[in-house]
Amino acid sequence: MSLNKRKSVIVWFLSALLFAPSLWAQEKSLSLDEAKRIALAYNKTLQNARLDVTIAKKKVFETTAIGLPQVTGKADYQHIFKVPSFPMGDTKIPVTFGDNTVFTLQVSQLIFSGEYLVGLQASKVYKAISEQALTKNNIEIGASVESTYYLALILAENLNIVRKNQTVMEQMLNQMEQMHKGGFIEETDVDQLRVNQTTVNNLAIALEGQMKTVHNQLKYLMGMNMSEQLLLTDKLDNVITGINPIANTEFNPGQNIDFKMMENQVAAQKLMLKREQTGYLPTIAGFYQHQEKQKTPILDFQPKDVLGVSLSLPILTSGSRSMKVKQAKLELEKVQNSKEQLKEGLSLKYQSQKLSYETAYNTFLNQQKSTEISNKIYEKTMVKYKAGVSSSLDLTQVQSQYLKSVGDYYNAVLNLLNAKVELEKLAQ
């Protein structure tokens, strides 16, 4: 290798080392709104739902095309071993040829078909249902992203408090060890503090593992690469501050996506009934046919051009058609009952979810006060412990109480935010 090439390789290698960290550990800053936008664009479930909408649009055109002019071409080759002939005087004239190729062009046009007209309407309803399914998926994925994002914020805040406790415990342990060496305290007090430190360390490890899992779940929902690192920019305090203490009392089931989809199910079943009823109607189609033969016999009675109309009318179905219509009517009645049941169920669910939201809000307020009190007790007990007024057992009990209170507080926050998300979903 030449000197210049070696220099190029060295420069490339150094550049790779310089920029590698940014490639290996990409960090993406995300607000909640940005996380939702990414999920709506790249989530695989939503991508499939959008494909279903495209398929439905193609289905509408496919159904429409049935009623448009249809053109078909056909070529037939035939070989007749014994050619029939027609006697004329002393000669026999062949009616056809032993070998021949016939080319046929046919144009057909559906003039009237009740089943076609209903099918065209049904394909449009099917398209609307697929669009509503996409909307429902958007709502579900958006809510999942929101809940997961909130959980990640809560875990981060909880871990931050635990890490502060780790720092305090480490400082206290160093001080206690020095005091033990000086003979001012017993070794049991130091050991008790070590046990406390181990408990806090284990809690930090557990929270770190949960954070990784939740971040991976968030990346999965957004269709992101698992190797990317997330930096969540929204602040939990701002999220909590923006929560209203009283839920919106107005609820219209007609705005709920499930109810809208059920309305389209009713429309689809009505079309199924119409489809069965159109079985009593005739089907009318027109056609034009042109035929060319490679070899035309002298006596050829088959015309080259034919224009015609065909009509098909069911005369007797032995009651099967009537039974299909009656079944379709019963199915329509079932769907209409389901629609009314869903309407009542949504109203009931909203009232229940509203109560859960208000309960979660009151629990959050109470737990917030309880945590503040536990924190004051914990801080005072640490001061007393350092002054030798309080025992290590007292500190252990108070610390456990404080950490439990913190955990209960963040559980209350999570329950409140989840109740908020579920309540908002019902109004969409």
Side-chain angles (χ1 to χ4, degrees), residues 102-153:
V102 180
F103 301 95
T104 304
L105 176 69
Q106 181 168 315
V107 180
S108 60
Q109 171 64 57
L110 185 64
I111 298 175
F112 176 80
S113 170
E115 186 173 357
Y116 165 72
L117 295 176
V118 174
L120 189 59
Q121 296 175 49
S123 65
K124 294 178 180 178
V125 171
Y126 169 67
K127 171 177 168 288
I129 290 175
S130 65
E131 289 172 341
Q132 288 175 337
L134 173 59
T135 301
K136 181 176 174 61
N137 279 316
N138 284 337
I139 294 171
E140 293 290 342
I141 296 299
S144 295
V145 169
E146 190 170 355
S147 296
T148 307
Y149 194 98
Y150 289 152
L151 179 55
L153 292 181

Side-chain angles (χ1 to χ4, degrees), residues 32 35-36 139-155 214 217-218 221 232 236 239 413-425:
L32 176 58
K36 284 183 177 181
I139 294 171
E140 293 290 342
I141 296 299
S144 295
V145 169
E146 190 170 355
S147 296
T148 307
Y149 194 98
Y150 289 152
L151 179 55
L153 292 181
I154 289 170
L155 288 172
V214 172
Q217 178 66 20
L218 188 57
L221 289 170
L232 307 186
L236 184 61
V239 174
V413 172
L414 181 61
N415 290 336
L416 175 59
L417 292 175
N418 285 339
K420 166 183 169 291
V421 171
E422 290 300 319
L423 196 62
E424 290 173 347
K425 274 174 59 179

Side-chain angles (χ1 to χ4, degrees), residues 20 22 28 30 64 78 84 89 139 151 168 174 244 274 285 310 329 345 362 390 407 411:
S22 62
K28 191 172 188 65
L30 281 177
T64 304
Q78 62 182 15
I139 294 171
L151 179 55
V168 172
N174 291 333
N244 295 321
K274 287 180 65 176
S310 67
K329 287 181 179 178
N362 291 327
S390 181
N411 281 334

Side-chain angles (χ1 to χ4, degrees), residues 112-119 121 271-283 312-314 321 325:
F112 176 80
S113 170
E115 186 173 357
Y116 165 72
L117 295 176
V118 174
Q121 296 175 49
L271 290 173
M272 288 295 294
L273 174 59
K274 287 180 65 176
R275 178 179 177 275
E276 297 299 339
Q277 291 172 334
T278 57
Y280 294 107
L281 301 177
T283 300
S312 174
L313 178 65
R321 177 61 61 189
V325 171

